[in-house]
Amino acid sequence: MKLTTEQTQEIKDQQSQQNQTKRVTVPALESILYEAMPALDHGFVRVVDYMGDDSSIVQSARVSYGKGTKQVSTDAGLIKYLMRHWHSTPFEMCEIKYHVKLPIFIARQWIRHRTANVNEYSARYSILDKEFYLPSAKNLAAQSSINRQGRGDVIEGEQAKEVLELLKNDAEQTYDNYEMMLNQRFDGSTINENKKGLARELARMNLTLNTYTQWYWKTDLLNLMNFLRLRADSHAQYEIRVYADIMLDTVKKWVPITYDAFMDYRVGGTEVSAKGKAIIQKFIKGENVDISSSGLSKREWNELMQAFNLDDKKV
Amino acid sequence: MKLTTEQTQEIKDQQSQQNQTKRVTVPALESILYEAMPALDHGFVRVVDYMGDDSSIVQSARVSYGKGTKQVSTDAGLIKYLMRHWHSTPFEMCEIKYHVKLPIFIARQWIRHRTANVNEYSARYSILDKEFYLPSAKNLAAQSSINRQGRGDVIEGEQAKEVLELLKNDAEQTYDNYEMMLNQRFDGSTINENKKGLARELARMNLTLNTYTQWYWKTDLLNLMNFLRLRADSHAQYEIRVYADIMLDTVKKWVPITYDAFMDYRVGGTEVSAKGKAIIQKFIKGENVDISSSGLSKREWNELMQAFNLDDKKV
Amino acid sequence: MKLTTEQTQEIKDQQSQQNQTKRVTVPALESILYEAMPALDHGFVRVVDYMGDDSSIVQSARVSYGKGTKQVSTDAGLIKYLMRHWHSTPFEMCEIKYHVKLPIFIARQWIRHRTANVNEYSARYSILDKEFYLPSAKNLAAQSSINRQGRGDVIEGEQAKEVLELLKNDAEQTYDNYEMMLNQRFDGSTINENKKGLARELARMNLTLNTYTQWYWKTDLLNLMNFLRLRADSHAQYEIRVYADIMLDTVKKWVPITYDAFMDYRVGGTEVSAKGKAIIQKFIKGENVDISSSGLSKREWNELMQAFNLDDKKV
Amino acid sequence: MKLTTEQTQEIKDQQSQQNQTKRVTVPALESILYEAMPALDHGFVRVVDYMGDDSSIVQSARVSYGKGTKQVSTDAGLIKYLMRHWHSTPFEMCEIKYHVKLPIFIARQWIRHRTANVNEYSARYSILDKEFYLPSAKNLAAQSSINRQGRGDVIEGEQAKEVLELLKNDAEQTYDNYEMMLNQRFDGSTINENKKGLARELARMNLTLNTYTQWYWKTDLLNLMNFLRLRADSHAQYEIRVYADIMLDTVKKWVPITYDAFMDYRVGGTEVSAKGKAIIQKFIKGENVDISSSGLSKREWNELMQAFNLDDKKV
C-alpha cells in the first residue's frame, strides 16, 4: 500500500484533531482512528468515525426491557444474553464508518450487504488510478476438484509465474488503453488537444475487475456483525476475508464485550437442526446412530460431525 | 414535563463528561447534548449521540464524484447542489440518536418510518408510569367539516372542559385498573401477597392510547429529513409536529448548511407536475388559462394556485 | 370473529375470480386465498396475494450459483442446503400479502419487524369499530414470579371473572366516550348537529390498547420466516403466536419444501456457542463436565442442557 | 441479443403455462411475460413475475384512509392524489420481478438502489460467457468539455473505429486469458488434464467491466419508480437508460393509471425551491427579476429557467 502525499497529509491532519465531546468515546479505537491499515497489495481499511460503545448497547436494552434486565446484573452478562437470544435492536445503536480501498470484484461481493450506507468513488465522473490487485504467489491457487467453490492445490513455480504475468499484462494494457481513450491520443502520434477524448463513463468499461476502487461504508454494529459472520468465515473468498479480518479487529477495539460474545456465539458457534439434535442426544447417551437411520444426507452428516470435531464419524 | 430524580441525575452525569476525541464535533449540538427538551405536557426529546457534521457530507460526496465536485467551489454550494438534485447517499453519512418520550398514538405514527433503529420501553417486561397526554385547551379542536382530516373550529368553553374531563377520567381509571390487575388486589379488600397478579404483557392492554412511552430512535440525516419533511409539515398532526419542530431545530444546530438547503428545497419548495408547468408558463407569458382547459381537477388546480400564492385564481 | 355483510361479500367476490395466468400458481394456497381465518376473539388472517413458489427459490439460486448448484441434484436438497448455510437472497424471491385484523398492542409488537410493507387502517381519518380483545378464561394468566416475562400460575375462578369484567368495562366505557366525543353530544342531552365533534385524530387517544385495528402486510419469504421464527416461538406472547401459527400454516401450503427445511433448521434447531460445543464434545466422549469448569453462567448452562433434552444435568 | 437454445426453450415452456388463479391478473403484462426484450447489443429484460395491479394500490389506500378516501371518487383520482402528495406505502403493495442481462459496469450503478432483492449469476462458482458490450458507433461519444459528466461531440469516423477496435480487442484478449487460466493450459502447448486451473473466483478478475452478467431483480412499485425516476432521466448514463426505458414500458402495461400519474408528477414534473417560487411569482405578476437579486447561483438560475422553458432568460 502506498498513499499519495495528499492522502498522507489528510490522515495527519485528521489525526491531529483534539476535540472535546460529551459523547462516549473509545480510546482504543481513537488510537487507530483514520489510520490506513493495509489490505492486499494496494488496499486499505480506515475507521473514519464511530458512534457509541458497549455501554450504548446496554443503555438501549435497559430502556427496552426495563427492570427485567436488572436481573442480569452485569453489562457483560446482558450483552451475552442479547447475543444468545438473537436480540437485534440494541446492537443497532452503535454505528461505524470505514473508508476502504478494494478491488472492484471484491466490491461487488461486498455491496450485496444492503443495509449500509455507501459512497463509492465514481469512475463516471473521475479517473481511476493505475492500481490493480495481483494475488501473492502464496495465494495463487488452483481450484480444487473436490470443492469447486474454494481453492485446493496451490499453483506453483512456473505456472504461478505465468498466471501472474498474464494478470499483470492484461491489467496494464487495458489501463493504458483506458487512459489513451480518455486522453484523446487517437491519431497514433501525439496528444492532440483539439481532439475529443472518450467519456469517462464509457472508457471505464475497458478496465479489468481487479482495478482498485474506494468507498465510504457506514453501517450499524448488528449489520457489521452479519457481514463479518459471513465474510470473516473460512468459506469466504480469501480477498474479502482479508478486509473482514481487519474489521473484526476494529470491532474488538471498539466494543470488546460484544466482540467476545460474537466470537463465542456466532463465529465459534454452530447451528444444529432438529434432526441433528436427535443424533447428538443419542451420541451423548452412548447409543449408536449411523447415517442411514439419521435422515441426513451425506453432506449434512459430515457437516454435523465436523461441527463437533467428530472426524472419525465422517463418512 | 417532570423528570424523576434518577433521570435528572443521569442527564447531569452525561453532560459533565469531558472526553477527548479525534472525531469531528459540533459545539452547537454539544451544548444541548442529553438535555431534555419539553414536548407536549409530559414528553421530551433528547439528542443522546451524533456522528458527523456538514463536512462529512462534503467529504463523502467528494470521494464519490471526485474531481467533478471541485467545480462546485464551496461546501455550501456542493450541499445545495446535492439537495437540489436529490443525491441521497452523502446525507446518509451523518447519524443521530434521540431519546424521546411520547404518547403511544404518536409513537404509532412515528414508527411507520421504517429506516431507523428503535429500542422502545417494553410494557411486556416493565410497568408504565401513570402519565398520559391531555391536549391543551388551545389545541382541543373540532374536526372541521371541510377538511375531515384536520381540525377546524376550536372546541371552547364548557365543551372543551367536558372533553378534557372525559379524557382525564378515562385515562386515570384505566391506569388504576391496570395497576390493580398487576398488583394482585383482586379480593376487593387488601393486598394479598399470595395472590398472583396479571402478567404485564396482558395488563397493558387496558391502557389508553394517550399513555406515554419512550424510546431511543437513531437514524441517518437523509431519513431524518424525510421524516421531518412529512412531520414538520402543516398537514401533519399537531402532536407529532411538536416533536418534529424540536428535532428540526437540532438539525439546524447540527448541520446548519444542510438545514438551509433543506428549508429552501424541501420544506419551502413545491413540486409542479408536467401539466402544472404548462399552466405556469402560460401565466408567465400573460396568456389566459382556466381550469376547464387545464386538465386539472379542482383540488389540484387549487393546490397549484396556493403553491404560488395565486389565491385570486382559486376556484 | 364476525364479518360485516360487506366483508363477506368482498371475500365471496374475490374468491369467485377465475383468471388465467402464465405465472406459477400454488393450488393449495389458492384454495384458502382471501379466506378469513379466525384469530383470537375478533381477529383474522387472510392471504390476499402471493408471488412465487418453491421452484422460484430454486430458479434464482441456480442463476446465482450456476453450474455449482447442479451438484445438489434435487430441488429439496438445494433448498435444505440454502437454509442450512443461511443463504438469504433466494428466499427473498417469494412474496406474500396478508390482510390481518389484530389488537393494537399486538400490532405494536408486530410493526417492529421493519422489512415489510404496511398499510394500516387509519384512526386519524376513519372511525374504529367497537371491537376489543378479551383473553379467554383459559389464557388469562398470572405473571409467574420466576419468569417475570411469561405467565405462570393461571388466574382462575372469581379472580379471572373480576379481571375480565374490568377489561371489558374499561374498553366499553372508553369506546363509548370516544364515540360521544366524535359525535358531538357534549351538551348532556341530545345530539346537536350544529355542535362540532372532536377530531378523529384526537378522539382516538381515548381508546384502550386492546381495540382492534387492521392492515395489509406484505413481505418476502425470508423476512416472513424471520418473523415466524421469533413469533411462533414458545417465548413469544400468546396473542401474537396465535397469528404466527396461522401464518406458519399458510407457509406450509405455499412452499412445502421450504417449510420443512425451516422447521428442521430454524424452528426445531438450536444454536450452540463455541463453549457449548466443547461441552457437548466432552459429553459425547463420556467425559465429565460440570458447570463450574464450563465457563457458562447457570442460565446459559441450563439453556444448553434443555436444548439437548439433558434435563437431569440442569442445575 | 442471441439466446441459447436452452434459454429459448425455457422461455417457450414458461410462456405455454396456462394456470388458473384467483389473484388479480394483468392481461397486457401477461402478454409479454417471460419475453426477452433486447437491450444494448447482448442484454435483455424479462418480466418473470408480478403481484397486484392498479386496483391493489387503491385497495390498500382505502383500508388506510378508510371513508376519507371515498371523497376521491375514482380510482384514477385517488392514485393521482397519492402520487401528488408523496404517499408511499400503497405503491409498495405491488411487486415485480425481472430477469436482466447487463454489462457489469451498469450492474454496478444499478445495485446502488438497495431496496430490492437480487440474485446475480456468480462468477465465483460459474464461468461467464464470452459476451461484452460494445457501444454502437452512434453512441460512442466524446466527453464534452462543458459537461464533464455527460457526452458532447460525437466521436466519429476513424477515431470511432479505433476506439471500438481497442475495446473489442481488450475484451477478447482478457476473456481468452480468463478462459486459459481456468482451463489449465499453462504449459504453452496443449491442454493438460493433470494440471490444475486457476479458481474461478480468481480468474474472473481478469475480465473487463463490459462483460455481461445477469440477475433476478425484484422490487416493489414504489422503489421501481424511484429507480426509473433517476435512471430513465436524461442525466442518466445512456446504457442504463436503455434498460430503464424498457422497464418504464412494462410499468405502463402493468399499472397504466399509476404510470400516467408517475409521468405527470415525477418524470415530467419539477421541484421548485422556496427562492424559485418567489421568482416565478414575480414573473407571473409581470415584475422584473434578475439573477443578481434572486439569491440563486448561475447554475441554479439556469436550471429554473429551463424547467419552465424560459430559455431567453438564461444567463
Side-chain angles (χ1 to χ4, degrees), chain B residues 276-289:
Chain B
K277 281 197 326 196
I279 294 166
I280 295 297
Q281 283 165 27
K282 288 190 179 161
F283 281 152
I284 293 176
K285 290 187 196 149
E287 296 176 18
N288 228 359
V289 206

Side-chain angles (χ1 to χ4, degrees), chain A residues 4 29 53 62 67 88 108 143-144 149 168-169 196 230 239 243 300 308:
Chain A
T4 63
L29 195 60
D53 65 2
R62 293 207 194 275
K67 282 144 200 149
S88 53
R108 274 170 42 74
Q143 188 170 10
S144 150
Q149 296 170 15
K168 185 162 179 285
N169 288 347
K196 295 289 171 190
L230 290 174
E239 281 76 17
Y243 289 87
E300 193 178 356
F308 287 93

Side-chain angles (χ1 to χ4, degrees), chain C residues 20-216:
Chain C
Q20 292 279 324
T21 186
K22 291 174 188 159
R23 292 175 292 174
V24 293
T25 54
V26 181
L29 195 61
E30 293 270 345
S31 75
I32 57 153
L33 209 62
Y34 303 119
E35 196 179 310
M37 294 170 279
L40 302 180
D41 49 359
H42 298 294
F44 59 70
V45 175
R46 299 170 66 214
V47 179
V48 291
D49 213 342
Y50 69 94
M51 174 196 272
D53 65 3
D54 276 323
S55 77
S56 311
I57 299 159
V58 171
Q59 179 187 50
S60 65
R62 293 209 194 273
V63 98
S64 288
Y65 310 117
K67 281 145 201 149
T69 50
K70 301 230 167 116
Q71 295 182 302
V72 186
S73 54
T74 66
D75 285 4
L78 178 55
I79 286 176
K80 284 164 72 171
Y81 176 88
L82 296 170
M83 186 75 74
R84 201 157 72 245
H85 291 276
W86 295 89
H87 287 250
S88 54
T89 53
F91 297 108
E92 295 172 2
M93 287 290 144
C94 294
E95 190 90 11
I96 195 162
K97 184 164 36 170
Y98 293 100
H99 179 196
V100 187
K101 190 172 159 193
L102 74 177
I104 290 174
F105 72 104
I106 295 307
R108 275 171 41 76
Q109 280 197 343
W110 192 311
I111 201 80
R112 299 303 323 284
H113 297 262
R114 288 160 297 175
T115 314
N117 310 117
V118 191
N119 277 295
E120 184 176 353
Y121 185 87
S122 169
R124 192 179 176 204
Y125 304 139
S126 301
I127 299 168
L128 282 162
D129 290 328
K130 189 175 182 174
E131 282 182 316
F132 36 84
Y133 168 61
L134 292 179
S136 67
K138 199 180 95 196
N139 278 297
L140 198 60
Q143 187 171 12
S144 151
S145 55
I146 299 165
N147 181 0
R148 300 182 67 87
Q149 295 170 14
R151 303 178 199 174
D153 305 310
V154 170
I155 293 181
E156 293 172 312
E158 270 313 297
Q159 195 186 1
K161 239 166 120 178
E162 280 178 80
V163 166
L164 287 175
E165 204 71 17
L166 274 177
L167 290 170
K168 186 163 178 284
N169 288 346
D170 280 358
E172 283 189 343
Q173 176 186 319
T174 54
Y175 188 89
D176 289 347
N177 285 332
Y178 162 71
E179 209 173 20
M180 188 168 77
M181 291 188 277
L182 287 175
N183 285 343
Q184 330 168 4
R185 296 178 296 182
F186 293 110
D187 54 3
S189 57
T190 58
I191 298 178
N192 182 337
E193 289 294 334
N194 296 322
K195 249 183 157 177
K196 294 290 175 192
L198 187 63
R200 289 169 183 173
E201 65 180 26
L202 283 178
R204 62 172 161 170
M205 79 172 76
N206 204 56
L207 296 171
T208 49
L209 282 159
N210 53 352
T211 308
Y212 273 91
T213 183
Q214 53 176 298
W215 61 32
Y216 278 77

Side-chain angles (χ1 to χ4, degrees), chain B residues 30-41:
Chain B
E30 293 270 345
S31 75
I32 57 153
L33 209 60
Y34 302 119
E35 195 179 311
M37 294 170 279
L40 301 180
D41 49 358

Side-chain angles (χ1 to χ4, degrees), chain C residues 20-26 53 55 59, chain D residues 10-20 23 30 33-34 46 48-49:
Chain C
Q20 292 279 324
T21 186
K22 291 174 188 159
R23 292 175 292 174
V24 293
T25 54
V26 181
D53 65 3
S55 77
Q59 179 187 50
Chain D
E10 191 194 348
I11 292 172
K12 221 174 132 185
D13 290 347
Q14 290 175 324
Q15 289 188 327
S16 66
Q17 289 180 82
Q18 283 292 355
N19 299 315
Q20 291 280 322
R23 293 175 290 174
E30 293 271 344
L33 210 61
Y34 303 119
R46 298 171 65 215
V48 291
D49 213 342

Side-chain angles (χ1 to χ4, degrees), chain A residues 9-232:
Chain A
Q9 188 57 46
E10 191 194 349
I11 292 172
K12 221 174 132 184
D13 290 347
Q14 290 174 323
Q15 290 188 327
S16 67
Q17 289 179 83
Q18 284 293 355
N19 300 315
Q20 291 280 321
T21 186
K22 293 174 188 158
R23 292 174 291 173
V24 293
T25 54
V26 182
L29 195 60
E30 293 270 345
S31 76
I32 57 154
L33 211 59
Y34 303 118
E35 195 179 312
M37 294 170 279
L40 301 180
D41 48 359
H42 298 292
F44 59 69
V45 175
R46 299 172 64 216
V47 178
V48 291
D49 212 341
Y50 70 94
M51 173 196 274
D53 65 2
D54 276 324
S55 78
S56 311
I57 298 160
V58 170
Q59 179 187 50
S60 65
R62 293 207 194 275
V63 97
S64 289
Y65 312 117
K67 282 144 200 149
T69 50
K70 303 233 163 113
Q71 294 182 302
V72 186
S73 53
T74 65
D75 285 5
L78 179 54
I79 286 175
K80 283 166 72 173
Y81 176 87
L82 296 170
M83 186 75 74
R84 201 157 74 245
H85 292 276
W86 294 90
H87 287 250
S88 53
T89 54
F91 297 109
E92 294 172 2
M93 286 289 144
C94 295
E95 191 89 12
I96 194 161
K97 183 161 40 170
Y98 294 100
H99 178 195
V100 186
K101 189 172 161 193
L102 72 179
I104 290 174
F105 71 105
I106 296 306
R108 274 170 42 74
Q109 280 197 342
W110 192 312
I111 201 81
R112 297 304 322 283
H113 296 261
R114 288 161 297 174
T115 314
N117 310 119
V118 191
N119 277 296
E120 185 175 353
Y121 184 87
S122 169
R124 190 178 177 205
Y125 304 139
S126 300
I127 299 167
L128 282 163
D129 290 329
K130 188 175 182 172
E131 283 182 316
F132 36 84
Y133 169 63
L134 291 179
S136 67
K138 197 180 96 197
N139 278 296
L140 198 58
Q143 188 170 10
S144 150
S145 55
I146 299 166
N147 181 1
R148 299 183 66 86
Q149 296 170 15
R151 303 179 201 175
D153 304 309
V154 171
I155 292 180
E156 293 173 310
E158 270 313 299
Q159 195 186 1
K161 236 168 125 178
E162 279 178 80
V163 166
L164 286 174
E165 204 70 20
L166 272 179
L167 290 170
K168 185 162 179 285
N169 288 347
D170 279 357
E172 284 188 342
Q173 177 186 318
T174 55
Y175 188 89
D176 290 347
N177 285 332
Y178 161 73
E179 209 172 20
M180 187 167 77
M181 290 188 276
L182 287 174
N183 285 344
Q184 332 169 3
R185 296 180 294 184
F186 294 109
D187 55 3
S189 56
T190 60
I191 296 178
N192 181 338
E193 288 293 333
N194 296 322
K195 249 183 161 179
K196 295 289 171 190
L198 187 62
R200 289 169 185 174
E201 64 180 26
L202 283 179
R204 61 173 161 168
M205 79 171 80
N206 204 56
L207 296 171
T208 49
L209 283 159
N210 55 352
T211 307
Y212 274 91
T213 182
Q214 53 176 300
W215 61 32
Y216 279 76
W217 191 76
K218 168 173 158 286
T219 195
D220 62 59
L221 179 55
L222 179 78
N223 282 289
L224 178 58
M225 290 191 294
N226 287 344
F227 175 88
L228 294 177
R229 188 190 181 195
L230 290 174
R231 304 305 180 181

